[in-house]
Amino acid sequence: MSIAMETMTGDPLPEDVIVEILSRLPVKNLLQFKCVCKSWHAIITSPKLISKHLRNYYDKNDSDCLLAQYRVTQAGEIASFELLVDETPTRGLSYGLLDRMPFQSPYIYGPCDGIFYLYGHFYDFHALWNPAINELKTLPPIPNPPFSFSYSPLWNAYGFRLHPVTKDYEVIVMREYWREEEGAWEDRYPLSVFVYTLSSDSWRYWGDLSRYYHLRNNKCYICVKGVFYWLGSYGACGDPEVVINFDMATNVCQEIQLPDYDKSINSESLAVYNDSIALLVVQERVLHVWTLDERCWTKKFVVGPLLGVQYPVGHWQNNTIILTSDSYELLLCDPRTQEISGLGFEGRTIRCEGIFAYKESLVPVKNGHEEAETTSDCRIICSPPFNRNVASNEKSFLMDPDYEEALKLFD
């Protein structure tokens, strides 16, 4: 392969050196370089560079971008926003509405290597989306339940990860079923587990759990060492009583009791702290942080009282925790120093449904022999910066900013 890149003396650089250089550049630059010539396109889309880019750029650079999802109507309509954040000091720089998403009001989950899993609560669709390279892959339908059973995507629990052994991207769906003729909505059956693998582009039925749980989807990306975790209850829509973890590598599902606290007057969420599962509980305006080690909970921090804090959402980088205030502003908390700073993003909404750190990657969502859909209609509409001292030309990570009707959902 001939690549036109030379040293100061005019000698061509070895291809391995070129790949090493390109693997340390942002995705935006690499997408521009793809258009230089066929040889540049070939090397930038090669598995060798994509893999090295994950190690040299994706894994070694912190995220300065958050994707926040808010429920903005009582009917359950979801709006997604991009937040650009400056860590020194921590403050919001700008935010933009993710307008014209690939599906109407999709929930997002991830990212894993820059890829998001998209799913619907009120209509049954599933997709993988890499916004950095503008690729979308709609997944095939999950097999239907037996005719005598009913189900709704609203009650499913989801997970998405890279399998640590096969290196294949997998989606897991825990699906609830019930019989309409029984006349009791609370009578549920053990959850059925379905697993999608990207390489085969197909779902497989894994089996059923040993009993029924109502699982709560996480508000941030939770997958530790290849294991999924969810808060769960024994009854339909009950308060959390246990943590359920599911390890696809060993085919083991475990139930872990929650620590002892008053579960009737609190808000809780799972997060990741120091590469371990953490339980965040806001109780009477005080934040309690437990971490899980060998199925045992240890209380790590008590922060507060925190005036105006409503509930925890999840984690961000450097072991910080994201909370929401009574006015739905996103707050960043460092439990070690007990410092809290506002990210400047708030609105008159129903509830924050998720917050996800975003980093760009080159990883495709197609299998090589197929053409992935593109999301050419998806764009970001950016609002003015939070701080008037910040340069007004802050760029969003997907598209150039456009100022029309940025805050319609907040009117």
Side-chain angles (χ1 to χ4, degrees):
M1 183 183 299
S2 174
I3 300 293
M5 186 179 287
E6 299 177 346
T7 65
M8 295 289 291
T9 61
D11 298 323
L13 285 174
E15 183 179 319
D16 287 346
V17 176
I18 295 174
V19 170
E20 187 68 30
I21 294 172
L22 294 177
S23 70
R24 300 175 185 275
L25 298 179
V27 170
K28 180 179 179 180
N29 299 112
L30 295 176
L31 294 180
Q32 294 172 339
F33 296 161
K34 281 172 58 177
C35 302
V36 172
C37 61
K38 290 183 179 179
S39 57
W40 279 78
H41 184 280
I43 197 169
I44 290 171
T45 56
S46 68
K48 180 179 180 180
L49 186 134
I50 292 172
S51 177
K52 189 175 283 289
H53 186 267
L54 280 176
R55 297 194 302 270
N56 288 348
Y57 182 82
Y58 187 89
D59 291 341
K60 293 183 179 180
N61 287 274
D62 290 333
S63 169
D64 63 355
C65 178
L66 293 172
L67 295 189
Q69 288 210 296
Y70 280 82
R71 184 163 18 127
V72 294
T73 66
Q74 293 288 355
E77 183 180 1
I78 292 294
S80 301
F81 297 86
E82 170 216 19
L83 284 69
L84 296 179
V85 181
D86 184 4
E87 258 199 297
T88 52
T90 301
R91 57 176 179 167
L93 292 177
S94 65
Y95 65 89
L97 172 66
L98 284 173
D99 192 30
R100 300 176 187 174
M101 293 287 281
F103 301 93
Q104 182 181 3
S105 293
Y107 281 77
I108 63 175
Y109 189 70
C112 177
D113 293 343
I115 301 173
F116 285 97
Y117 170 56
L118 307 181
Y119 62 95
H121 264 189
F122 301 103
Y123 48 102
D124 205 3
F125 79 85
H126 312 266
L128 297 179
W129 180 43
N130 186 337
I133 61 175
N134 199 29
E135 275 193 6
L136 174 78
K137 178 181 176 61
T138 303
L139 307 190
I142 299 176
N144 289 326
F147 180 75
S148 58
F149 286 84
S150 297
Y151 79 95
S152 168
L154 179 64
W155 309 113
N156 292 343
Y158 304 94
F160 173 52
R161 69 161 189 180
L162 177 69
H163 194 288
V165 177
T166 65
K167 303 302 179 184
D168 200 357
Y169 293 98
E170 294 182 331
V171 174
I172 183 172
V173 175
M174 303 282 203
R175 173 164 279 186
E176 290 193 17
Y177 295 115
W178 65 93
R179 291 183 185 271
E180 292 286 356
E181 63 268 21
E182 289 175 352
W185 182 82
E186 293 83 2
D187 293 337
R188 301 296 178 99
Y189 292 83
L191 275 63
S192 295
V193 183
F194 294 89
V195 180
Y196 169 86
T197 54
L198 180 59
S199 62
S200 66
D201 190 27
S202 62
W203 294 91
R204 63 183 174 89
Y205 170 63
W206 178 88
D208 293 343
L209 300 188
S210 60
R211 58 159 299 160
Y212 170 78
Y213 298 99
H214 174 72
L215 300 183
R216 180 192 294 183
N217 280 305
N218 297 305
K219 289 183 169 61
C220 61
Y221 183 65
I222 303 289
C223 186
V224 177
K225 300 175 183 176
V227 181
F228 300 108
Y229 295 82
W230 298 273
L231 287 170
S233 60
Y234 298 125
C237 298
D239 292 326
E241 301 169 84
V242 295
V243 169
I244 300 299
N245 72 12
F246 194 84
D247 188 343
M248 285 297 301
T250 60
N251 287 331
V252 173
C253 180
Q254 294 181 315
E255 173 188 303
I256 303 169
Q257 293 295 320
L258 292 178
D260 186 22
Y261 63 92
D262 186 352
K263 299 176 178 61
S264 62
I265 50 171
N266 56 77
S267 297
E268 55 268 286
S269 179
L270 292 181
V272 177
Y273 188 88
N274 277 343
D275 296 324
S276 297
I277 286 297
L279 176 67
L280 314 178
V281 178
V282 171
Q283 191 171 36
E284 296 180 345
R285 305 294 186 177
V286 175
L287 172 66
H288 304 265
V289 181
W290 282 269
T291 57
L292 183 65
D293 183 26
E294 298 295 332
R295 297 176 59 88
C296 294
W297 294 101
T298 301
K299 181 172 280 192
K300 298 285 289 187
F301 303 102
V302 177
V303 184
L306 306 172
L307 297 179
V309 170
Q310 191 175 58
Y311 56 89
V313 179
H315 61 269
W316 197 35
Q317 58 203 24
N318 301 322
N319 290 325
T320 53
I321 293 169
I322 297 177
L323 311 166
T324 58
S325 71
D326 291 336
S327 61
Y328 299 101
E329 179 185 4
L330 292 178
L331 307 173
L332 196 63
C333 172
D334 187 335
R336 296 159 298 184
T337 63
Q338 303 209 1
E339 294 180 357
I340 292 185
S341 54
L343 295 180
F345 179 74
E346 61 180 287
R348 296 185 296 277
T349 63
I350 306 299
R351 187 175 180 85
C352 179
E353 294 291 343
I355 191 83
F356 307 97
Y358 178 70
K359 293 190 291 184
E360 299 174 322
S361 84
L362 292 168
V363 179
V365 295
K366 60 183 179 180
N367 289 329
H369 64 278
E370 62 179 344
E371 290 296 325
E373 302 115 294
T374 60
T375 56
S376 56
D377 287 336
C378 181
R379 58 176 176 152
I380 285 193
I381 299 177
C382 285
S383 74
F386 298 140
N387 191 326
R388 294 186 181 274
N389 296 323
V390 179
S392 61
N393 62 350
E394 289 289 343
K395 301 295 183 182
S396 62
F397 72 89
L398 285 181
M399 302 284 183
D400 291 334
D402 185 340
Y403 286 92
E404 63 185 52
E405 299 178 349
L407 295 180
K408 258 188 175 180
L409 294 170
F410 293 88
D411 292 339

